Amino acid sequence: MLAMGLKNTVAGKLPTEQPMIGISFTQKTVAARKRIALVAHDHCKVFLLDWAERHKDRLAQHELVATGTTGLLLQQRLDLPVESMISGPLGGDQQLGARIAEQRVDMLVFFWDPFEPQPHDPDIKALLRVAAVWNIPVACNECSADYLLSSPLMDQAHSQRIPDYATYLLNRA
């Protein structure tokens, strides 16, 4: 049923190179040492801190970056280096989004508060959108973060599909 509306399918298999609205894709190699962005809304910071403490040994093997307050709290709790952007509502979410677009973040762990509207909701939506565009894994709670961190791909180099921006620029003119 799913494949009925898809072109280029073979025997019910999903297409591998079908472009999304004129965007073609290429492959990129993600290093074994991941660059992990960590973000948490105020009411979720304690959950992220507890989760990170449980996984300190795994996280120590990777490069960590976070929005302002979250980064400071993680550094204090874990005694690990964490590069801190500015606070999310002041533009930190957008800074992380730029890093994703520049392929400088490999995974996003974002414990967001589903019960509380945020004054910077458009920035949050933009961050999640750019993560989807650049095909990076996103965890939005402890359970999904546990799944990502326990993946065999966490500690090995692997290939992933990303937008082919060079071709996009050539075809734009």
Side-chain angles (χ1 to χ4, degrees):
M1 183 76 91
L2 172 66
M4 285 176 52
L6 297 174
K7 294 180 183 176
N8 301 329
T9 58
V10 178
K13 294 182 181 178
L14 294 177
T16 57
E17 294 301 323
Q18 183 173 345
M20 286 195 270
I21 310 179
I23 300 291
S24 59
F25 294 87
T26 187
Q27 295 291 315
K28 134 182 175 171
T29 300
V30 179
R33 186 169 193 256
K34 307 297 186 274
R35 296 163 299 181
I36 303 172
L38 302 159
V39 184
H41 286 155
D42 288 344
H43 293 102
C44 299
K45 288 191 192 317
V46 69
F47 301 124
L48 180 65
L49 291 169
D50 290 346
W51 174 84
E53 190 168 45
R54 284 194 311 276
H55 297 288
K56 178 181 175 177
D57 292 339
R58 291 292 308 267
L59 292 172
Q61 300 169 26
H62 302 282
E63 183 180 327
L64 307 178
V65 60
T67 50
T69 307
T70 302
L72 177 65
L73 293 170
L74 284 164
Q75 282 179 338
Q76 291 171 347
R77 184 85 164 268
L78 303 177
D79 194 31
L80 292 175
V82 179
E83 183 181 359
S84 292
M85 304 288 101
I86 61 177
S87 176
L90 298 177
D93 296 326
Q94 292 178 335
Q95 286 180 302
L96 289 177
R99 287 201 174 191
I100 292 169
E102 295 166 349
Q103 300 173 50
R104 294 173 54 205
V105 168
D106 302 311
M107 181 173 124
L108 174 62
V109 176
F110 186 176
F111 287 16
W112 57 274
D113 187 346
F115 299 109
E116 190 73 29
Q118 303 294 319
H120 61 297
D121 273 341
D123 298 341
I124 296 161
K125 184 175 181 181
L127 175 61
L128 295 172
R129 180 188 173 280
V130 78
V133 166
W134 288 96
N135 196 27
I136 70 164
V138 178
C140 63
N141 55 41
E142 291 178 68
C143 188
S144 57
D146 285 342
Y147 274 82
L148 286 182
L149 214 58
S150 65
S151 168
L153 297 176
M154 274 304 297
D155 299 317
Q156 65 187 36
H158 66 278
S159 183
Q160 77 184 52
R161 183 173 42 193
I162 61 168
D164 186 348
Y165 190 64
T167 300
Y168 171 79
L169 289 176
L170 288 173
N171 293 333
R172 202 170 62 162

